[in-house]
Amino acid sequence: MRKDNLLLQRIKELNYLTNDEDLVFCLYPFSFALKELIKTNLEESKCKRKFTSTIEETKNILISTENKYFIFISEYLKDGLGTKLLMELKSYEIDHNCIIFLNGNDKNNLNVALQLKTKGMVHEESLEEKNGSLVRAVKNIKEGKKYVDPKLMKI
């Protein structure tokens, strides 16, 4: 029961932090916690919520917008690496707020994300543990700071 309460608390925190933001979730596959976050945000926010699992779908959403999105990206997508999407987003005029979820198995992907000055990097295990890393990442980005999950620095 305690884990369920913690998950609900994290979802409420994230919902509060992103309620006024347009969001793109480019994830493959979706984790349970993020599915619940997405469901909550859909019900409570008037902002845009887009869901993709490929680089191309995400680019199609963002190429024609003048809005700044908060983009959540998984390390692996149906059509390539999340870091490839990050590279492509760097060429856009709008500096979208991006958080990439890394599994920690490929140090190269972490290095690419760091080189691209990705605003948020969260270890996938931190999502499952519900340790608040995603909330801290969103808070830091909203305050104009970067966030690198301490678990990623141990790989």
Side-chain angles (χ1 to χ4, degrees):
M1 186 72 165
R2 179 161 154 59
K3 284 190 175 191
D4 290 340
N5 289 338
L6 186 58
L7 174 60
L8 185 59
Q9 177 187 348
R10 296 288 183 241
I11 290 170
K12 285 181 179 180
E13 288 176 274
L14 287 168
N15 188 44
Y16 173 78
L17 289 169
T18 61
N19 200 43
D20 62 343
E21 304 273 350
D22 291 331
L23 306 178
V24 174
F25 295 88
C26 184
L27 307 168
Y28 180 78
F30 286 101
S31 75
F32 171 75
L34 287 175
K35 279 184 185 177
E36 291 302 308
L37 168 66
I38 292 166
K39 182 177 151 191
T40 302
N41 273 312
L42 276 175
E43 293 170 358
E44 296 180 13
S45 178
K46 304 241 185 293
C47 293
K48 294 177 186 169
R49 303 295 188 243
K50 304 288 183 175
F51 312 98
T52 72
S53 58
T54 69
I55 294 166
E56 286 305 311
E57 288 174 310
T58 304
K59 286 173 32 181
N60 288 338
I61 291 168
L62 300 173
I63 200 87
S64 61
T65 186
E66 293 181 10
N67 296 343
K68 184 173 188 169
Y69 275 83
F70 230 107
I71 307 169
F72 300 87
I73 305 168
S74 61
E75 184 169 9
Y76 299 99
L77 303 169
K78 280 187 177 180
D79 60 349
L81 293 173
T83 51
K84 180 180 178 194
L85 175 58
L86 287 172
M87 282 184 231
E88 295 198 27
L89 292 175
K90 286 295 177 185
S91 67
Y92 287 30
E93 288 182 29
I94 298 172
D95 184 23
H96 297 287
N97 293 319
C98 298
I99 295 176
I100 189 165
F101 305 120
L102 300 167
N103 65 21
N105 293 334
D106 190 339
K107 189 162 180 127
N108 185 53
N109 287 335
L110 173 61
N111 289 335
V112 169
L114 289 167
Q115 289 169 358
L116 291 170
K117 297 180 173 66
T118 305
K119 294 179 182 177
M121 291 161 265
V122 176
H123 198 294
E124 286 179 358
E125 285 180 6
S126 295
L127 296 175
E128 297 301 324
E129 293 169 2
K130 303 167 198 73
N131 66 15
S133 287
L134 181 55
V135 171
R136 283 190 296 281
V138 172
K139 282 181 181 177
N140 277 19
I141 291 170
K142 289 185 76 97
E143 293 170 0
K145 299 182 272 186
K146 289 176 53 172
Y147 179 82
V148 179
D149 189 333
K151 278 190 170 207
L152 290 170
M153 300 317 293
K154 295 177 183 176
I155 62 171

